[in-house]
Amino acid sequence: MRHLNFHHLRLFWTIAHEGGLTRAAERLNLSQSALSVQLAKLEESLGHALFERQGKRLVLTEAGRIALDYADTVFAAGAELLDTLGGRPASRRRVLRVGALPTLSRNFQMQFLRPLAGRADTELVLRSGSLRELLIDLEAHMLDVVLANAAVRRDAHSDLHSHLLAEQAVSLVGRPAASAAPLRFPEDLAGTPVVLPSLASEIRAGFDRILELAGIRPVIVAEVDDMAMLRLIARETDALTLVPAIVVRDELEAGLLVERYRVRDLTERFFAVVQSRRFPNSLVAEVLEAFDRTPFRGAP
């Protein structure tokens, strides 16, 4: 029967959190060669490499990320034991690391995470960044899932998969006005002040194509790549704002904004990007299944 050497596990845990052998050796007052020998023994006992060398850096493998999660749990449990016996009870929790584009609707993100939010046994770690940055972290096992509004291109060298979660209508919205006549689209947009997503957005590209084919040029008063800011601007300006309905769902329900026109054939898509893993985080499947069971709340 194999037994886990917890001393070796503690050394690995220190290397991982210190970011390499040099700093870990200094902290532990050991030589790097001695530390490497102990790490090799742990890898041999587990049957998996825990680090791979990229240049001068040690990067956790998938097995290394799993081992680190368990090591965090093991040593947290030891700290909890001391806390409990010292009259300071604590609880162990599983961790789900989620990355999301800053342009993604906060309402959508909250709906995706709601099944896990506030659970005593779960910790959510949320990160934002560019799609490139988040996918690098996903492949390095530093994230478990990435939320995006575009599918990731597949090729023979990629083990990333994009799960389409939902499609949401895109509308032109504005503040309510008693004299507002029904909007004729796209002709009424000629010379009309509008607030649009940035040029990097897929819905902006689709919207621009529609207007270009119709020969219509609106007056662009703002271009915004952050959906939270787009929502605020829509509430504060008299211009029409092009936005996925879910972004301003609360304002539409409260009557602060009204939908002036729902743009046909233009939708915002939401994807969960995951990596094929030998040791998947079970919380990913749990949150995906919960989202599939819950009707997607978009426009009212």
Side-chain angles (χ1 to χ4, degrees):
M1 180 181 294
R2 293 189 302 170
H3 295 280
L4 181 64
N5 186 311
F6 284 91
H7 174 64
H8 293 166
L9 186 66
R10 172 70 76 170
L11 297 181
F12 156 74
W13 181 80
T14 304
I15 295 169
H17 282 289
E18 290 295 326
L21 286 169
T22 302
R23 291 176 59 181
E26 292 174 354
R27 177 178 171 182
L28 296 167
N29 197 26
L30 294 172
S31 69
Q32 291 190 42
S33 58
L35 199 54
S36 295
V37 169
Q38 302 302 314
L39 175 62
K41 289 181 178 180
L42 177 63
E43 291 178 322
E44 182 180 358
S45 69
L46 294 176
H48 295 280
L50 301 178
F51 293 99
E52 60 182 2
R53 187 170 292 280
Q54 294 183 0
K56 296 182 179 181
R57 297 172 56 239
L58 285 180
V59 178
L60 286 168
T61 64
E62 182 183 354
R65 172 56 59 184
I66 299 299
L68 182 58
D69 283 344
Y70 275 97
D72 285 339
T73 300
V74 167
F75 298 127
E80 288 174 11
L81 174 60
L82 295 176
D83 286 341
T84 299
L85 295 181
R88 301 180 299 274
S91 60
R92 282 181 281 176
R93 295 179 292 174
R94 293 184 293 167
V95 178
L96 180 69
R97 300 175 179 87
V98 181
L101 299 181
T103 57
L104 211 62
S105 162
R106 304 298 194 271
N107 282 338
F108 168 75
Q109 294 181 51
M110 192 62 247
Q111 183 163 339
F112 180 81
L113 296 171
R114 184 168 287 115
L116 302 181
R119 277 183 25 178
D121 65 340
T122 304
E123 177 183 350
L124 294 174
V125 177
L126 308 180
R127 280 201 53 217
S128 64
S130 70
L131 184 59
R132 180 177 180 276
E133 292 170 336
L134 296 176
L135 294 181
I136 288 174
D137 286 348
L138 182 64
E139 291 183 314
H141 317 301
M142 297 173 65
L143 292 173
D144 299 304
V145 60
V146 170
L147 300 179
N149 48 23
V152 174
R153 182 177 297 178
R154 293 293 309 279
D155 58 45
H157 304 290
S158 174
D159 58 357
L160 301 181
H161 304 273
S162 302
H163 297 270
L164 177 61
L165 299 174
E167 285 190 90
Q168 174 63 38
V170 175
S171 302
L172 286 162
V173 304
R175 296 195 293 190
S179 60
L183 182 70
R184 296 174 302 163
F185 183 85
E187 53 266 32
D188 281 350
L189 292 186
T192 299
V194 295
V195 177
L196 301 177
S198 70
L199 292 170
S201 165
E202 288 193 357
I203 61 174
R204 169 66 183 278
F207 186 75
D208 285 351
R209 284 194 297 269
I210 294 172
L211 295 194
E212 184 178 351
L213 290 173
I216 301 296
R217 290 190 177 183
V219 177
I220 300 174
V221 298
E223 295 178 295
V224 185
D225 64 1
D226 182 277
M227 285 296 168
M229 181 58 69
L230 196 65
R231 172 186 183 182
L232 293 176
I233 292 177
R235 293 170 53 173
E236 299 298 328
T237 181
D238 289 328
L240 296 178
T241 301
L242 181 72
V243 64
I246 190 174
V247 174
V248 291
R249 181 185 64 203
D250 297 340
E251 285 78 6
L252 292 172
E253 291 178 345
L256 299 175
L257 294 172
V258 295
E259 184 181 61
R260 295 295 307 281
Y261 187 82
R262 181 169 297 186
V263 184
R264 294 188 296 273
D265 301 323
L266 193 58
T267 60
E268 175 89 334
R269 298 192 297 169
F270 301 102
F271 293 89
V273 183
V274 299
Q275 183 183 34
S276 295
R277 292 183 179 177
R278 186 174 181 182
F279 311 104
N281 186 333
S282 61
L283 287 175
V284 174
E286 189 174 331
V287 73
L288 288 174
E289 291 170 3
F291 190 89
D292 287 341
R293 292 195 303 267
T294 305
F296 181 59
R297 285 194 64 213

